[in-house]
Amino acid sequence: MDEHNIESHPDLMDPDWQRHAEKEAWTGLRRDRRRARRRLAAIWGAVVIVAAAAGFYLWQRGTTPEEVAGSGPAVLTSTTTAPAPTDLPGYGRVDLARPFLNTPAQNWPEGIAGLKIPAPAKVGAFSAKQVGAAQEQVKHAVEVAQFDKNVLEGHHPEGYVGLFAPDQRGDLTAHIRHYVIYLAEGYRLLPVQSRMTGKMTVRPGETGELLVHVSYVVAYAFDPGSRIVNGPADLEPFVRVDTDYILRSGSGWAPGDRGLWAGDGGSFYTSVACRTGKSDDLAPAFSDPNYDAPSMSPQPGEFDPDKPLPTKGNCGE
C-alpha cells in the first residue's frame, strides 16, 4: 500500500470507524486536560486548597435542587438583555429554574421560534406559495426531530418518518438516530423549554427539486436530580446541526419519490456523555464518569450557526 495515500484506506473511510475515532479522540483530549489540571493543582499549598474548597462549597450551595425548589414558584423568563457568553462555563452557579442564564443560549428564543425563516419567494420553477409550503414542511420536521416528546422521551419516530416521501421512510427508520434526538434512558429534561438559534435558506436544485438548508443549534437542560452540578456544562448539552432537505415535485418523479427528503448533513455535540449504553442517545455530561469540563476556547461555529460546522472534538457522530 502506498504510504502517501493512507488517508484513502477503506477502513479510514468507513463512517462508523470515523465516529468511533472522533469519540476516542475527544475522550483522550479530556483525559489530557484532567492530567494537566492535576499537575497545576499540585503546585499550590494545602492551606490554599482547603480555603479555596471551602469558599467554593459555600458559593456552590446555591445550586442544589432543594434550595432552588424552596425559593418559591419559578418565574420562567424567555431571555435577558445582557450579552451572552461565547463559551459554555464549566464552573458557576446554575439556577435550575433558568438554566440557560450565563450560557451562549441565554438570549435564544424558545423552541422552534429560534429558527429564522425567510419570507417565501419564487425559486426556480417553484412559486412563492410552493416555497412557503416547503419551508413549513421543513420547519415542522426540525421541530419534531428536536423538540417532540414522543420522539425525545418515548423514542417513537413515526411522526417524524411520516413527514417524508414514501421511498425514503424505510432508510429513515433504519438510521433514525442520524436524524432525530433520543434522550438516554434514565435522564429527563428540566421543565423548561429548550432554546434554539438558527436559520433556513432556500435554493433551486436539480429539475423538479427545491433545496432547503437549515443550520441551527439547540440547547437542552437536563434535570440533575439530587446531584450538585459544578456549572452549566455539567447538565446542558448543545447540539449543532447543518443539513439539507429536498422537496421533489412534478411529473418527472415517481409517486414514491415525490415529497420531502432528508439530504446530506452533519452534527456536532458539546458537553454530552460519550459512554452511555447507546452512544447516539443524548445524555448529560454529568452521567459520564470520564467527563471533564470543556476548555475555555470553543470551536468556531460550536454555538454560532452562521459559521462552518466544527469538525474536531466531536464526541458523537
Side-chain angles (χ1 to χ4, degrees), residues 100-116:
F100 299 112
L101 290 178
N102 302 315
T103 77
Q106 77 171 19
N107 297 326
W108 295 356
E110 298 179 343
I112 196 64
L115 185 65
K116 296 179 182 177

Side-chain angles (χ1 to χ4, degrees), residues 131-263:
V131 170
Q135 290 173 327
E136 286 300 314
Q137 283 183 273
V138 172
K139 174 184 174 182
H140 186 50
V142 172
E143 183 176 24
V144 174
Q146 302 292 331
F147 304 113
D148 189 277
K149 286 188 176 182
N150 287 327
V151 175
L152 272 70
E153 300 175 4
H155 299 183
H156 297 304
E158 297 83 7
Y160 177 81
V161 173
L163 300 174
F164 293 86
D167 283 356
Q168 195 187 25
R169 292 173 188 171
D171 182 70
L172 286 176
T173 301
H175 304 93
I176 194 62
R177 285 186 177 85
H178 293 262
Y179 302 98
V180 304
I181 294 295
Y182 279 1
L183 303 185
E185 185 176 355
Y187 300 95
R188 60 187 180 88
L189 300 178
L190 287 166
V192 298
Q193 180 68 15
S194 300
R195 300 293 183 88
M196 182 184 207
T197 185
K199 63 182 181 179
M200 176 188 294
T201 56
V202 183
R203 67 185 188 276
E206 301 294 333
T207 302
E209 288 187 346
L210 182 70
L211 300 184
V212 181
H213 181 78
V214 289
S215 178
Y216 59 84
V217 190
V218 179
Y220 300 91
F222 278 88
D223 187 345
S226 61
R227 301 173 183 85
I228 293 179
V229 292
N230 295 314
D234 280 1
L235 72 159
E236 296 174 32
F238 282 61
V239 178
R240 168 74 193 275
V241 176
D242 267 28
T243 193
D244 286 328
Y245 290 87
I246 307 165
L247 181 69
R248 291 175 174 167
S249 178
S251 59
W253 296 103
D257 286 333
R258 294 174 195 161
L260 190 64
W261 285 71

Side-chain angles (χ1 to χ4, degrees), residues 12 31 36 81 95 98 119 122 124 146 154 160 171-172 179 210 242 246 252 268 280 282 299:
L12 300 183
R31 188 184 304 115
T81 57
D95 182 344
R98 302 172 181 84
K122 186 178 184 298
Q146 302 292 331
Y160 177 81
D171 182 70
L172 286 176
Y179 302 98
L210 182 70
D242 267 28
I246 307 165
F268 183 92
D280 291 328
L282 189 68
Q299 294 268 342

